[in-house]
Every structure is written in C-alpha cells, then in structure tokens.
Amino acid sequence: MRPLLTILFLTIGVVSAQVRFVPNDGQWANHIQHRTEVVGGGIQIESKGWTCWQWAPDTSVEQDHHSGSRKGIVWQSQWIDATPIGSTDWDRHGLASDRQHFYLSNEPSQWAEHVQPAAMINADNIWSGIQLRWRGTRRGRAAFEFTVEPGADPSKIGWRYSGVEPSIGPKGELQLIHSLHDRSADFWAELARPFAFQLRDDGTLETVACHYQLTNGEVRFSLGEYDGQRPLIIDPEITFSTFAGST
C-alpha cells in the first residue's frame, strides 16, 4: 500500500456541485489516473482502486492546500481480484469546454497545460462482463456504478479498505469509520445504501433488491432476483459530511 497521498484541489466555502474527473497528463505521479473534487474532500482514481481524502471540520477557508497546511484524513480502497485498469482504458464522456493548467513544481517536465476534465469515465471488463463507471451527482458527490452485462457474475464485484473500518449502518449504508470521525461534529463518511435496477423493454425502470455484504473486511453486494438476460446496474454513492459549506 502506498504512503498517504494528496488527492484533489478544493476551495472550501466555494464548493461547486459539479464533479469533474481530471486526467493525469503528467502533472501528478504515474499511479494517479484521475482526480476529482467532491463536497468535503476528494477522490483519486488508480489502477487497482481509489484513494479518498476528507477535510477536517476545523480546516480554515484561508488555508492553502499547496502549502500542506490543511488538515484531513486519507483512506484507500482496492478492488478484489479485478483486472488492473490502464490509464488509456478509460472512456471519457461529457468533456468540459474549458481546460485546466498545472504548474505544481519548478520542473517544466511536470507541468501540464490544457487538461480537459470529463463528467464521467468508464472502464470495461474490470471483472469479466462488468463495466465500472465513475460519475458525479447533483449534490457534489461521487458515485461508482457497475453495469453487469447478461451472463456476467455480480458476485465478483468487491473491494476492501485501508485506513477506515467499514460497518453496515441501520439504514443499509456502509459507514467508513476513522478514529478521528465524530458525527456530533458532523465529521463522517459513508457509502449510501446501494441502488440496483434494470430497464424493461419499454424503457421503464425495475428495481432489484440490493444490500452490502461485509465479510472479513471485504465489501460485496447481496442481490435479490433479477433477469440475467438484461444488464444490471448497481449504484453506490460516496458521501462525506458537508461541513465544507455545500449540500
């Protein structure tokens, strides 16, 4: 497991609900493939999983993330028995009309200009017949979504955490517990209860019972009956506490 990592740039107090996935065009270390801002923290997407950071409640709006003075916590997640994703394996959708420029060191070889964010990124066959999609939500959060093609096995989907302790909450959410978390101070993190569905031939949505299954620290999905001849979509959402000034 790599050491603690920096994930994203977020201006506290001016948080946009627009989540955009910024590719690594040389401005970051090679293992980083995309980064995105979310309400209260950020996500860094890598070949075999992802890393989250979350700003602490006492982080001041005047503090500058470039100086390393901002406080927060970091945890990592790794897919279980998945095919590693190459940086060129992502299909990018909803490309932004603007560009971003990164000058993060004194070395020009590590500068990146005209970097184009995307609203959504997809990678096929992370497990056989299963597509992974990262996207934003209207509330400035991020969700990873799986499309299970007919004949594929959704029980293959799984991941484990390092740095937080997962626990299934009373509403079916997956609570991510860190020693510094404090719900009384509105400092917490979780994955919302998963939502699974299929589309009928007439285009209407048919929900499928879906719950988290937690065994020896491994997170998987427990599913009800569904039509194995149609694609199945499973959609968890990552939620941080919203002390950063947005809901």
Side-chain angles (χ1 to χ4, degrees):
M1 193 63 69
R2 295 188 185 90
L4 188 132
L5 302 171
T6 303
I7 302 179
L8 92 122
F9 305 136
L10 177 66
T11 304
I12 291 184
V14 193
V15 179
S16 170
Q18 185 179 23
V19 174
R20 308 197 302 176
F21 297 89
V22 180
N24 185 3
D25 284 358
Q27 70 271 30
W28 300 311
N30 290 336
H31 66 274
I32 304 168
Q33 296 183 347
H34 288 82
R35 287 181 176 176
T36 186
E37 301 178 3
V38 298
V39 171
I43 298 170
Q44 176 172 291
I45 298 170
E46 304 164 5
S47 173
K48 297 181 180 180
W50 73 100
T51 302
C52 288
W53 85 23
Q54 183 179 13
W55 300 122
D58 58 353
T59 299
S60 168
V61 297
E62 289 82 14
Q63 289 178 312
D64 179 4
H65 64 270
H66 291 293
S67 70
S69 61
R70 301 176 81 173
K71 298 178 181 179
I73 60 175
V74 174
W75 65 90
Q76 295 176 306
S77 313
Q78 188 171 40
W79 304 120
I80 298 172
D81 297 328
T83 301
I85 304 169
S87 59
T88 60
D89 292 339
W90 294 101
D91 292 323
R92 304 173 66 237
H93 303 275
L95 298 179
S97 58
D98 64 308
R99 303 293 190 273
Q100 296 184 2
H101 310 283
F102 297 86
Y103 308 100
L104 303 181
S105 76
N106 294 324
E107 177 54 56
S109 64
Q110 296 178 1
W111 297 353
E113 299 178 319
H114 308 288
V115 180
Q116 187 175 28
M120 183 185 305
I121 56 175
N122 304 340
D124 292 329
N125 291 309
I126 180 172
W127 295 276
S128 179
I130 298 175
Q131 180 193 76
L132 167 66
R133 174 182 296 117
W134 282 94
R135 61 175 180 80
T137 74
R138 294 180 180 179
R139 295 186 176 184
R141 299 168 181 165
F144 53 87
E145 178 180 295
F146 304 101
T147 298
V148 182
E149 296 297 336
D153 182 3
S155 70
K156 298 291 186 183
I157 301 171
W159 65 95
R160 61 175 65 90
Y161 290 99
S162 174
V164 289
E165 186 70 29
S167 177
I168 299 174
K171 297 181 180 180
E173 74 278 14
L174 186 69
Q175 298 178 355
L176 306 177
I177 301 170
H178 190 279
S179 60
L180 297 180
H181 278 151
D182 183 356
R183 283 190 175 263
S184 66
D186 197 25
F187 188 41
W188 49 268
E190 65 184 32
L191 268 66
R193 179 174 177 170
F195 177 65
F197 65 94
Q198 295 183 294
L199 294 178
R200 301 185 181 94
D201 291 339
D202 61 3
T204 58
L205 184 147
E206 181 176 0
T207 59
V208 175
C210 183
H211 306 277
Y212 292 114
Q213 178 179 302
L214 185 58
T215 305
N216 297 325
E218 296 185 353
V219 182
R220 298 186 186 272
F221 296 111
S222 175
L223 292 160
E225 293 186 3
Y226 68 95
D227 184 352
Q229 301 304 308
R230 289 184 287 150
L232 170 70
I233 293 87
I234 307 173
D235 185 10
E237 179 180 305
I238 301 172
T239 303
F240 296 157
S241 51
T242 56
F243 58 83
S246 180
T247 58

